[in-house]
Amino acid sequence: MDVLYGAFTFLYQAGDAFAFLVLSACGLAVIFGMMGVINLAHGEFILCGAYVSASAARMGLPLPLAILLGALVSGLVGMALERIVIRHLYDRPLDTIVGTWGISMIATQGTLILLGSSMPGTGTPFGSFAVGPYTYSVYRLVLVGAALLLLLCLWLLFTKTRFGTLARATIQVPHIAEALGVNTNLVYALTFGLGAALAGLAGGLYAPTMTLVPTMGSAFVVEAFVTVVVGGADVFLGTAPAAAILGIVKAALTSWQGQLFGQIGLLVAVIVVIRVLPRGISGFILRERA
């Protein structure tokens, strides 16, 4: 019986890690993986979503609507920053590093000055359930479902809609898309805004589970980047397998030796995968298909 409890605990932790990696990485997969913008302000979009969601929930808005509001505000902020800053830095990856790093510093310090060193949270909803002598959060299972649903929605958006077709065409061959009458500036803005909104959605979903501080975005950034790098350029083929592999590695080592070893194992796994598959998991899948 203890073996069964241990197996369930491992699956629960692996699912939790998978959800965290997917939700953290989806927005970055759009901005960095698809658009090629090295967005060091990704954590601050997550911060924006978390703060807006928590504030709206404390004002009486139902939590699901508060989370969606946080995603919407992050998306609008992302579109504004794309218009003011990012649009002038396309095809200049080193400059995007400096530009988004500056945005990150301004957002973090501005939040600290204006809102203080922390913000009251909303508390984790749905309570917990027991399996044998152990208890587990129901909300963590909700996050796993949200991660899977988000992957499905992104696949449908980019493969089954006109916007998805225009976005992929604009990002891959912008001059041809513009020659065919596509408003590429609008498509770039909407795509960047979508990535920012996905980051805000991650912040809103995890706001009930975390202490809300101006530097909370840093808890997401490293794992988001490693997931996108391991997954490769194709957000649909790479992100989910990368999150599953890294989630299992992290859960196994965390169960064995604790959180620190889980983080170390995650980074070692990334180094190994990049060494063996320099174009990531999606690059390997596409090569095998060819």
Side-chain angles (χ1 to χ4, degrees):
M1 192 61 69
D2 289 340
V3 174
L4 293 177
Y5 294 150
F8 181 82
T9 299
F10 172 75
L11 290 175
Y12 179 86
Q13 291 177 342
D16 185 33
F18 169 81
F20 184 85
L21 292 169
V22 167
L23 294 171
S24 299
C26 276
L28 192 64
V30 172
I31 293 175
F32 175 42
M34 292 182 63
M35 300 182 69
V37 176
I38 305 174
N39 180 25
L40 296 186
H42 180 69
E44 282 57 52
F45 289 124
I46 293 174
L47 169 71
C48 177
Y51 269 56
V52 171
S53 298
S55 299
R58 288 204 317 276
M59 293 172 62
L61 195 67
L63 183 60
L65 294 180
I67 292 171
L68 292 177
L69 178 62
L72 176 62
V73 172
S74 294
L76 293 175
V77 171
M79 291 181 65
L81 289 174
E82 192 277 340
R83 180 67 182 88
I84 297 169
V85 179
I86 306 299
R87 180 170 299 182
H88 309 287
L89 304 178
Y90 290 127
D91 299 322
R92 295 159 57 186
L94 295 180
D95 292 342
T96 63
I97 294 175
V98 177
T100 56
W101 178 75
I103 293 171
S104 171
M105 293 295 101
I106 292 170
T108 301
Q109 296 304 312
T111 303
L112 177 63
I113 293 169
L114 295 176
L115 301 177
S117 59
S118 65
M119 173 180 283
T122 59
T124 305
F126 304 133
S128 60
F129 65 97
V131 176
Y134 306 105
T135 58
Y136 306 89
S137 170
V138 175
Y139 188 67
R140 295 287 180 174
L141 297 180
V142 173
L143 293 175
V144 175
L148 295 173
L149 179 62
L150 180 60
L151 288 172
L152 175 61
C153 290
L154 283 177
W155 180 79
L156 292 173
L157 176 66
F158 280 103
T159 60
K160 303 297 182 181
T161 67
R162 176 176 171 79
F163 168 76
T165 302
L166 294 179
R168 288 184 286 115
T170 298
I171 291 167
Q172 292 173 12
V173 280
H175 57 287
I176 298 297
E178 191 168 11
L180 293 174
V182 177
N183 186 342
T184 54
N185 286 334
L186 178 60
V187 172
Y188 274 125
L190 290 174
T191 306
F192 192 92
L194 173 64
L198 292 173
L201 178 65
L205 287 168
Y206 277 96
T209 70
M210 303 179 68
T211 301
L212 302 185
V213 295
T215 56
M216 64 173 289
S218 61
F220 295 82
V221 169
V222 173
E223 298 190 19
F225 267 101
V226 299
T227 304
V228 172
V229 170
V230 169
D234 195 307
V235 61
F236 313 113
L237 292 178
T239 302
I245 293 170
L246 297 176
I248 290 172
V249 170
K250 182 179 179 181
L253 292 177
T254 299
S255 299
W256 178 44
Q257 289 290 338
Q259 189 72 26
L260 177 60
F261 271 78
Q263 293 288 351
I264 294 173
L266 185 71
L267 297 178
V268 171
V270 170
I271 294 171
V272 172
V273 172
I274 293 175
R275 179 65 183 87
V276 176
L277 303 173
R279 296 182 60 189
I281 293 174
S282 64
F284 172 75
I285 295 173
L286 292 173
R287 184 182 66 187
E288 290 299 311
R289 285 183 177 180

mmCIF file of all heavy atoms in Angstrom, residues 185-235:
data_model
loop_
_atom_site.group_PDB
_atom_site.id
_atom_site.type_symbol
_atom_site.label_atom_id
_atom_site.label_comp_id
_atom_site.label_asym_id
_atom_site.label_seq_id
_atom_site.Cartn_x
_atom_site.Cartn_y
_atom_site.Cartn_z
ATOM 1 N N ASN A 185 2.255 44.778 -39.109
ATOM 2 C CA ASN A 185 2.450 45.464 -37.825
ATOM 3 C C ASN A 185 1.371 45.056 -36.826
ATOM 4 O O ASN A 185 1.659 44.821 -35.649
ATOM 5 C CB ASN A 185 2.430 46.987 -38.021
ATOM 6 C CG ASN A 185 3.699 47.502 -38.676
ATOM 7 O OD1 ASN A 185 4.758 46.882 -38.570
ATOM 8 N ND2 ASN A 185 3.595 48.638 -39.351
ATOM 9 N N LEU A 186 0.132 44.964 -37.303
ATOM 10 C CA LEU A 186 -0.963 44.549 -36.422
ATOM 11 C C LEU A 186 -0.785 43.094 -35.995
ATOM 12 O O LEU A 186 -1.011 42.754 -34.829
ATOM 13 C CB LEU A 186 -2.297 44.725 -37.134
ATOM 14 C CG LEU A 186 -3.546 44.277 -36.357
ATOM 15 C CD1 LEU A 186 -3.684 45.064 -35.060
ATOM 16 C CD2 LEU A 186 -4.797 44.420 -37.221
ATOM 17 N N VAL A 187 -0.375 42.240 -36.914
ATOM 18 C CA VAL A 187 -0.186 40.825 -36.583
ATOM 19 C C VAL A 187 0.922 40.665 -35.551
ATOM 20 O O VAL A 187 0.788 39.900 -34.581
ATOM 21 C CB VAL A 187 0.126 40.007 -37.847
ATOM 22 C CG1 VAL A 187 0.509 38.573 -37.474
ATOM 23 C CG2 VAL A 187 -1.078 39.992 -38.773
ATOM 24 N N TYR A 188 2.025 41.392 -35.722
ATOM 25 C CA TYR A 188 3.103 41.335 -34.739
ATOM 26 C C TYR A 188 2.609 41.790 -33.368
ATOM 27 O O TYR A 188 2.911 41.177 -32.343
ATOM 28 C CB TYR A 188 4.273 42.220 -35.178
ATOM 29 C CG TYR A 188 5.262 41.554 -36.091
ATOM 30 C CD1 TYR A 188 5.576 42.113 -37.328
ATOM 31 C CD2 TYR A 188 5.897 40.366 -35.724
ATOM 32 C CE1 TYR A 188 6.489 41.505 -38.178
ATOM 33 C CE2 TYR A 188 6.804 39.760 -36.566
ATOM 34 C CZ TYR A 188 7.097 40.333 -37.790
ATOM 35 O OH TYR A 188 8.013 39.719 -38.620
ATOM 36 N N ALA A 189 1.856 42.889 -33.342
ATOM 37 C CA ALA A 189 1.360 43.410 -32.071
ATOM 38 C C ALA A 189 0.422 42.417 -31.397
ATOM 39 O O ALA A 189 0.516 42.177 -30.182
ATOM 40 C CB ALA A 189 0.645 44.749 -32.298
ATOM 41 N N LEU A 190 -0.487 41.830 -32.173
ATOM 42 C CA LEU A 190 -1.436 40.870 -31.598
ATOM 43 C C LEU A 190 -0.726 39.605 -31.117
ATOM 44 O O LEU A 190 -1.072 39.058 -30.060
ATOM 45 C CB LEU A 190 -2.495 40.504 -32.636
ATOM 46 C CG LEU A 190 -3.495 41.608 -32.998
ATOM 47 C CD1 LEU A 190 -4.392 41.161 -34.139
ATOM 48 C CD2 LEU A 190 -4.324 41.998 -31.786
ATOM 49 N N THR A 191 0.284 39.156 -31.860
ATOM 50 C CA THR A 191 1.006 37.947 -31.456
ATOM 51 C C THR A 191 1.812 38.193 -30.196
ATOM 52 O O THR A 191 1.818 37.363 -29.272
ATOM 53 C CB THR A 191 1.935 37.473 -32.595
ATOM 54 O OG1 THR A 191 1.170 37.320 -33.794
ATOM 55 C CG2 THR A 191 2.570 36.144 -32.239
ATOM 56 N N PHE A 192 2.492 39.324 -30.135
ATOM 57 C CA PHE A 192 3.235 39.654 -28.917
ATOM 58 C C PHE A 192 2.275 39.835 -27.741
ATOM 59 O O PHE A 192 2.540 39.390 -26.622
ATOM 60 C CB PHE A 192 4.053 40.935 -29.120
ATOM 61 C CG PHE A 192 5.058 41.192 -28.027
ATOM 62 C CD1 PHE A 192 6.359 40.719 -28.137
ATOM 63 C CD2 PHE A 192 4.710 41.901 -26.891
ATOM 64 C CE1 PHE A 192 7.286 40.945 -27.141
ATOM 65 C CE2 PHE A 192 5.631 42.124 -25.885
ATOM 66 C CZ PHE A 192 6.926 41.645 -26.006
ATOM 67 N N GLY A 193 1.143 40.488 -28.003
ATOM 68 C CA GLY A 193 0.143 40.649 -26.954
ATOM 69 C C GLY A 193 -0.406 39.325 -26.479
ATOM 70 O O GLY A 193 -0.669 39.136 -25.286
ATOM 71 N N LEU A 194 -0.567 38.357 -27.398
ATOM 72 C CA LEU A 194 -1.016 37.024 -27.008
ATOM 73 C C LEU A 194 -0.006 36.367 -26.086
ATOM 74 O O LEU A 194 -0.385 35.766 -25.065
ATOM 75 C CB LEU A 194 -1.226 36.165 -28.259
ATOM 76 C CG LEU A 194 -1.534 34.678 -28.000
ATOM 77 C CD1 LEU A 194 -2.854 34.517 -27.264
ATOM 78 C CD2 LEU A 194 -1.543 33.898 -29.315
ATOM 79 N N GLY A 195 1.287 36.459 -26.425
ATOM 80 C CA GLY A 195 2.313 35.893 -25.559
ATOM 81 C C GLY A 195 2.302 36.528 -24.179
ATOM 82 O O GLY A 195 2.429 35.833 -23.155
ATOM 83 N N ALA A 196 2.149 37.858 -24.132
ATOM 84 C CA ALA A 196 2.082 38.543 -22.846
ATOM 85 C C ALA A 196 0.839 38.132 -22.065
ATOM 86 O O ALA A 196 0.883 37.957 -20.837
ATOM 87 C CB ALA A 196 2.095 40.058 -23.068
ATOM 88 N N ALA A 197 -0.285 37.959 -22.758
ATOM 89 C CA ALA A 197 -1.522 37.535 -22.090
ATOM 90 C C ALA A 197 -1.390 36.132 -21.518
ATOM 91 O O ALA A 197 -1.881 35.847 -20.416
ATOM 92 C CB ALA A 197 -2.693 37.592 -23.075
ATOM 93 N N LEU A 198 -0.706 35.244 -22.238
ATOM 94 C CA LEU A 198 -0.482 33.895 -21.717
ATOM 95 C C LEU A 198 0.395 33.928 -20.471
ATOM 96 O O LEU A 198 0.179 33.152 -19.532
ATOM 97 C CB LEU A 198 0.165 33.020 -22.797
ATOM 98 C CG LEU A 198 -0.711 32.694 -24.002
ATOM 99 C CD1 LEU A 198 0.089 31.983 -25.077
ATOM 100 C CD2 LEU A 198 -1.906 31.849 -23.591
ATOM 101 N N ALA A 199 1.385 34.819 -20.465
ATOM 102 C CA ALA A 199 2.198 34.981 -19.255
ATOM 103 C C ALA A 199 1.341 35.502 -18.103
ATOM 104 O O ALA A 199 1.444 35.029 -16.967
ATOM 105 C CB ALA A 199 3.357 35.938 -19.532
ATOM 106 N N GLY A 200 0.485 36.490 -18.397
ATOM 107 C CA GLY A 200 -0.411 36.998 -17.364
ATOM 108 C C GLY A 200 -1.377 35.948 -16.863
ATOM 109 O O GLY A 200 -1.714 35.914 -15.672
ATOM 110 N N LEU A 201 -1.818 35.073 -17.769
ATOM 111 C CA LEU A 201 -2.694 33.969 -17.361
ATOM 112 C C LEU A 201 -1.975 33.052 -16.380
ATOM 113 O O LEU A 201 -2.561 32.616 -15.375
ATOM 114 C CB LEU A 201 -3.141 33.181 -18.592
ATOM 115 C CG LEU A 201 -4.029 31.963 -18.343
ATOM 116 C CD1 LEU A 201 -5.372 32.386 -17.753
ATOM 117 C CD2 LEU A 201 -4.242 31.175 -19.631
ATOM 118 N N ALA A 202 -0.707 32.756 -16.653
ATOM 119 C CA ALA A 202 0.076 31.929 -15.724
ATOM 120 C C ALA A 202 0.186 32.599 -14.364
ATOM 121 O O ALA A 202 0.024 31.959 -13.317
ATOM 122 C CB ALA A 202 1.466 31.669 -16.301
ATOM 123 N N GLY A 203 0.433 33.911 -14.365
ATOM 124 C CA GLY A 203 0.506 34.629 -13.096
ATOM 125 C C GLY A 203 -0.798 34.598 -12.339
ATOM 126 O O GLY A 203 -0.827 34.391 -11.115
ATOM 127 N N GLY A 204 -1.917 34.783 -13.059
ATOM 128 C CA GLY A 204 -3.209 34.738 -12.408
ATOM 129 C C GLY A 204 -3.545 33.370 -11.844
ATOM 130 O O GLY A 204 -4.094 33.245 -10.747
ATOM 131 N N LEU A 205 -3.194 32.328 -12.597
ATOM 132 C CA LEU A 205 -3.483 30.976 -12.123
ATOM 133 C C LEU A 205 -2.658 30.616 -10.889
ATOM 134 O O LEU A 205 -3.138 29.889 -10.003
ATOM 135 C CB LEU A 205 -3.211 29.967 -13.240
ATOM 136 C CG LEU A 205 -4.236 29.940 -14.387
ATOM 137 C CD1 LEU A 205 -3.721 29.122 -15.549
ATOM 138 C CD2 LEU A 205 -5.575 29.390 -13.896
ATOM 139 N N TYR A 206 -1.433 31.110 -10.822
ATOM 140 C CA TYR A 206 -0.567 30.751 -9.695
ATOM 141 C C TYR A 206 -0.619 31.769 -8.554
ATOM 142 O O TYR A 206 -0.034 31.518 -7.499
ATOM 143 C CB TYR A 206 0.872 30.556 -10.166
ATOM 144 C CG TYR A 206 1.096 29.175 -10.716
ATOM 145 C CD1 TYR A 206 1.012 28.931 -12.079
ATOM 146 C CD2 TYR A 206 1.341 28.094 -9.880
ATOM 147 C CE1 TYR A 206 1.174 27.658 -12.591
ATOM 148 C CE2 TYR A 206 1.507 26.823 -10.381
ATOM 149 C CZ TYR A 206 1.427 26.601 -11.731
ATOM 150 O OH TYR A 206 1.586 25.324 -12.230
ATOM 151 N N ALA A 207 -1.322 32.881 -8.761
ATOM 152 C CA ALA A 207 -1.423 33.883 -7.696
ATOM 153 C C ALA A 207 -1.985 33.320 -6.389
ATOM 154 O O ALA A 207 -1.487 33.659 -5.310
ATOM 155 C CB ALA A 207 -2.265 35.067 -8.178
ATOM 156 N N PRO A 208 -3.011 32.437 -6.424
ATOM 157 C CA PRO A 208 -3.523 31.898 -5.149
ATOM 158 C C PRO A 208 -2.552 30.967 -4.430
ATOM 159 O O PRO A 208 -2.778 30.638 -3.265
ATOM 160 C CB PRO A 208 -4.783 31.124 -5.585
ATOM 161 C CG PRO A 208 -5.162 31.688 -6.900
ATOM 162 C CD PRO A 208 -3.867 32.040 -7.557
ATOM 163 N N THR A 209 -1.496 30.541 -5.108
ATOM 164 C CA THR A 209 -0.593 29.555 -4.508
ATOM 165 C C THR A 209 0.729 30.146 -4.048
ATOM 166 O O THR A 209 1.559 29.416 -3.497
ATOM 167 C CB THR A 209 -0.276 28.430 -5.524
ATOM 168 O OG1 THR A 209 0.564 28.953 -6.569
ATOM 169 C CG2 THR A 209 -1.552 27.871 -6.131
ATOM 170 N N MET A 210 0.943 31.454 -4.273
ATOM 171 C CA MET A 210 2.255 32.041 -4.029
ATOM 172 C C MET A 210 2.144 33.312 -3.195
ATOM 173 O O MET A 210 1.080 33.924 -3.096
ATOM 174 C CB MET A 210 2.949 32.382 -5.357
ATOM 175 C CG MET A 210 3.121 31.224 -6.311
ATOM 176 S SD MET A 210 3.928 31.715 -7.848
ATOM 177 C CE MET A 210 5.575 32.113 -7.242
ATOM 178 N N THR A 211 3.283 33.703 -2.632
ATOM 179 C CA THR A 211 3.396 35.017 -2.004
ATOM 180 C C THR A 211 3.623 36.042 -3.101
ATOM 181 O O THR A 211 4.533 35.888 -3.927
ATOM 182 C CB THR A 211 4.575 35.046 -1.016
ATOM 183 O OG1 THR A 211 4.372 34.042 -0.015
ATOM 184 C CG2 THR A 211 4.682 36.411 -0.355
ATOM 185 N N LEU A 212 2.800 37.081 -3.147
ATOM 186 C CA LEU A 212 2.875 38.068 -4.222
ATOM 187 C C LEU A 212 3.878 39.152 -3.846
ATOM 188 O O LEU A 212 3.618 39.990 -2.987
ATOM 189 C CB LEU A 212 1.496 38.673 -4.482
ATOM 190 C CG LEU A 212 0.394 37.673 -4.844
ATOM 191 C CD1 LEU A 212 -0.895 38.415 -5.185
ATOM 192 C CD2 LEU A 212 0.815 36.785 -5.999
ATOM 193 N N VAL A 213 5.027 39.123 -4.496
ATOM 194 C CA VAL A 213 6.086 40.108 -4.280
ATOM 195 C C VAL A 213 6.556 40.594 -5.646
ATOM 196 O O VAL A 213 6.360 39.918 -6.668
ATOM 197 C CB VAL A 213 7.268 39.497 -3.486
ATOM 198 C CG1 VAL A 213 6.831 39.104 -2.086
ATOM 199 C CG2 VAL A 213 7.851 38.295 -4.221
ATOM 200 N N PRO A 214 7.197 41.775 -5.724
ATOM 201 C CA PRO A 214 7.615 42.316 -7.024
ATOM 202 C C PRO A 214 8.591 41.437 -7.796
ATOM 203 O O PRO A 214 8.706 41.567 -9.011
ATOM 204 C CB PRO A 214 8.257 43.659 -6.651
ATOM 205 C CG PRO A 214 7.592 44.055 -5.373
ATOM 206 C CD PRO A 214 7.370 42.772 -4.639
ATOM 207 N N THR A 215 9.304 40.561 -7.108
ATOM 208 C CA THR A 215 10.282 39.703 -7.787
ATOM 209 C C THR A 215 9.734 38.300 -8.075
ATOM 210 O O THR A 215 10.511 37.413 -8.440
ATOM 211 C CB THR A 215 11.548 39.575 -6.926
ATOM 212 O OG1 THR A 215 11.186 39.075 -5.624
ATOM 213 C CG2 THR A 215 12.232 40.930 -6.765
ATOM 214 N N MET A 216 8.437 38.083 -7.940
ATOM 215 C CA MET A 216 7.888 36.736 -8.086
ATOM 216 C C MET A 216 8.079 36.177 -9.498
ATOM 217 O O MET A 216 8.130 34.971 -9.701
ATOM 218 C CB MET A 216 6.401 36.717 -7.722
ATOM 219 C CG MET A 216 5.511 37.549 -8.617
ATOM 220 S SD MET A 216 3.752 37.336 -8.267
ATOM 221 C CE MET A 216 3.482 35.671 -8.877
ATOM 222 N N GLY A 217 8.209 37.048 -10.487
ATOM 223 C CA GLY A 217 8.385 36.579 -11.851
ATOM 224 C C GLY A 217 9.639 35.754 -12.053
ATOM 225 O O GLY A 217 9.688 34.887 -12.927
ATOM 226 N N SER A 218 10.659 36.010 -11.225
ATOM 227 C CA SER A 218 11.914 35.273 -11.364
ATOM 228 C C SER A 218 11.734 33.788 -11.070
ATOM 229 O O SER A 218 12.532 32.960 -11.527
ATOM 230 C CB SER A 218 12.984 35.864 -10.444
ATOM 231 O OG SER A 218 12.570 35.781 -9.084
ATOM 232 N N ALA A 219 10.696 33.438 -10.315
ATOM 233 C CA ALA A 219 10.440 32.022 -10.026
ATOM 234 C C ALA A 219 9.987 31.270 -11.268
ATOM 235 O O ALA A 219 10.047 30.032 -11.308
ATOM 236 C CB ALA A 219 9.382 31.898 -8.931
ATOM 237 N N PHE A 220 9.532 31.984 -12.287
ATOM 238 C CA PHE A 220 9.018 31.365 -13.498
ATOM 239 C C PHE A 220 10.005 31.416 -14.663
ATOM 240 O O PHE A 220 9.960 30.546 -15.536
ATOM 241 C CB PHE A 220 7.729 32.080 -13.953
ATOM 242 C CG PHE A 220 6.578 31.954 -13.006
ATOM 243 C CD1 PHE A 220 6.469 32.768 -11.899
ATOM 244 C CD2 PHE A 220 5.567 31.033 -13.242
ATOM 245 C CE1 PHE A 220 5.395 32.666 -11.034
ATOM 246 C CE2 PHE A 220 4.482 30.924 -12.386
ATOM 247 C CZ PHE A 220 4.399 31.744 -11.268
ATOM 248 N N VAL A 221 10.854 32.443 -14.700
ATOM 249 C CA VAL A 221 11.592 32.755 -15.925
ATOM 250 C C VAL A 221 12.549 31.647 -16.328
ATOM 251 O O VAL A 221 12.583 31.218 -17.492
ATOM 252 C CB VAL A 221 12.339 34.097 -15.769
ATOM 253 C CG1 VAL A 221 13.306 34.307 -16.919
ATOM 254 C CG2 VAL A 221 11.341 35.244 -15.720
ATOM 255 N N VAL A 222 13.369 31.171 -15.395
ATOM 256 C CA VAL A 222 14.381 30.174 -15.743
ATOM 257 C C VAL A 222 13.727 28.914 -16.296
ATOM 258 O O VAL A 222 14.122 28.397 -17.355
ATOM 259 C CB VAL A 222 15.265 29.840 -14.524
ATOM 260 C CG1 VAL A 222 16.200 28.675 -14.851
ATOM 261 C CG2 VAL A 222 16.070 31.050 -14.098
ATOM 262 N N GLU A 223 12.710 28.426 -15.614
ATOM 263 C CA GLU A 223 12.063 27.194 -16.056
ATOM 264 C C GLU A 223 11.298 27.401 -17.361
ATOM 265 O O GLU A 223 11.196 26.481 -18.180
ATOM 266 C CB GLU A 223 11.164 26.653 -14.953
ATOM 267 C CG GLU A 223 11.959 26.291 -13.701
ATOM 268 C CD GLU A 223 11.150 25.520 -12.673
ATOM 269 O OE1 GLU A 223 10.108 24.963 -13.050
ATOM 270 O OE2 GLU A 223 11.577 25.473 -11.509
ATOM 271 N N ALA A 224 10.777 28.605 -17.572
ATOM 272 C CA ALA A 224 10.116 28.892 -18.844
ATOM 273 C C ALA A 224 11.119 28.854 -19.992
ATOM 274 O O ALA A 224 10.867 28.238 -21.042
ATOM 275 C CB ALA A 224 9.430 30.255 -18.780
ATOM 276 N N PHE A 225 12.278 29.477 -19.806
ATOM 277 C CA PHE A 225 13.290 29.497 -20.857
ATOM 278 C C PHE A 225 13.814 28.098 -21.157
ATOM 279 O O PHE A 225 13.962 27.722 -22.320
ATOM 280 C CB PHE A 225 14.442 30.429 -20.477
ATOM 281 C CG PHE A 225 14.280 31.827 -21.001
ATOM 282 C CD1 PHE A 225 13.834 32.844 -20.182
ATOM 283 C CD2 PHE A 225 14.569 32.123 -22.323
ATOM 284 C CE1 PHE A 225 13.679 34.136 -20.659
ATOM 285 C CE2 PHE A 225 14.413 33.414 -22.821
ATOM 286 C CZ PHE A 225 13.970 34.422 -21.985
ATOM 287 N N VAL A 226 14.098 27.320 -20.114
ATOM 288 C CA VAL A 226 14.655 25.988 -20.381
ATOM 289 C C VAL A 226 13.624 25.099 -21.073
ATOM 290 O O VAL A 226 13.982 24.278 -21.932
ATOM 291 C CB VAL A 226 15.184 25.326 -19.086
ATOM 292 C CG1 VAL A 226 16.300 26.149 -18.476
ATOM 293 C CG2 VAL A 226 14.085 25.067 -18.080
ATOM 294 N N THR A 227 12.349 25.269 -20.745
ATOM 295 C CA THR A 227 11.312 24.480 -21.411
ATOM 296 C C THR A 227 11.211 24.841 -22.887
ATOM 297 O O THR A 227 11.109 23.957 -23.750
ATOM 298 C CB THR A 227 9.948 24.694 -20.731
ATOM 299 O OG1 THR A 227 10.052 24.366 -19.338
ATOM 300 C CG2 THR A 227 8.876 23.833 -21.366
ATOM 301 N N VAL A 228 11.260 26.130 -23.190
ATOM 302 C CA VAL A 228 11.173 26.567 -24.583
ATOM 303 C C VAL A 228 12.406 26.123 -25.363
ATOM 304 O O VAL A 228 12.305 25.658 -26.504
ATOM 305 C CB VAL A 228 11.009 28.097 -24.659
ATOM 306 C CG1 VAL A 228 11.102 28.585 -26.100
ATOM 307 C CG2 VAL A 228 9.668 28.508 -24.064
ATOM 308 N N VAL A 229 13.578 26.248 -24.765
ATOM 309 C CA VAL A 229 14.810 25.849 -25.448
ATOM 310 C C VAL A 229 14.818 24.341 -25.713
ATOM 311 O O VAL A 229 15.170 23.891 -26.806
ATOM 312 C CB VAL A 229 16.040 26.269 -24.627
ATOM 313 C CG1 VAL A 229 17.308 25.655 -25.202
ATOM 314 C CG2 VAL A 229 16.163 27.784 -24.594
ATOM 315 N N VAL A 230 14.430 23.559 -24.724
ATOM 316 C CA VAL A 230 14.387 22.104 -24.910
ATOM 317 C C VAL A 230 13.304 21.733 -25.925
ATOM 318 O O VAL A 230 13.493 20.832 -26.750
ATOM 319 C CB VAL A 230 14.133 21.396 -23.564
ATOM 320 C CG1 VAL A 230 13.823 19.914 -23.770
ATOM 321 C CG2 VAL A 230 15.338 21.547 -22.658
ATOM 322 N N GLY A 231 12.169 22.421 -25.883
ATOM 323 C CA GLY A 231 11.085 22.109 -26.810
ATOM 324 C C GLY A 231 11.406 22.462 -28.244
ATOM 325 O O GLY A 231 10.966 21.787 -29.168
ATOM 326 N N GLY A 232 12.174 23.525 -28.453
ATOM 327 C CA GLY A 232 12.484 23.955 -29.807
ATOM 328 C C GLY A 232 11.513 25.002 -30.307
ATOM 329 O O GLY A 232 10.645 25.484 -29.577
ATOM 330 N N ALA A 233 11.643 25.338 -31.588
ATOM 331 C CA ALA A 233 10.905 26.471 -32.138
ATOM 332 C C ALA A 233 9.420 26.215 -32.301
ATOM 333 O O ALA A 233 8.624 27.151 -32.305
ATOM 334 C CB ALA A 233 11.505 26.864 -33.496
ATOM 335 N N ASP A 234 9.010 24.976 -32.454
ATOM 336 C CA ASP A 234 7.592 24.662 -32.678
ATOM 337 C C ASP A 234 6.886 24.511 -31.334
ATOM 338 O O ASP A 234 7.100 23.540 -30.608
ATOM 339 C CB ASP A 234 7.453 23.376 -33.493
ATOM 340 C CG ASP A 234 6.050 23.192 -34.052
ATOM 341 O OD1 ASP A 234 5.093 23.254 -33.247
ATOM 342 O OD2 ASP A 234 5.906 22.982 -35.263
ATOM 343 N N VAL A 235 6.027 25.474 -31.015
ATOM 344 C CA VAL A 235 5.369 25.492 -29.712
ATOM 345 C C VAL A 235 4.455 24.293 -29.516
ATOM 346 O O VAL A 235 4.253 23.814 -28.400
ATOM 347 C CB VAL A 235 4.586 26.813 -29.531
ATOM 348 C CG1 VAL A 235 3.517 26.955 -30.590
ATOM 349 C CG2 VAL A 235 3.970 26.913 -28.149
#
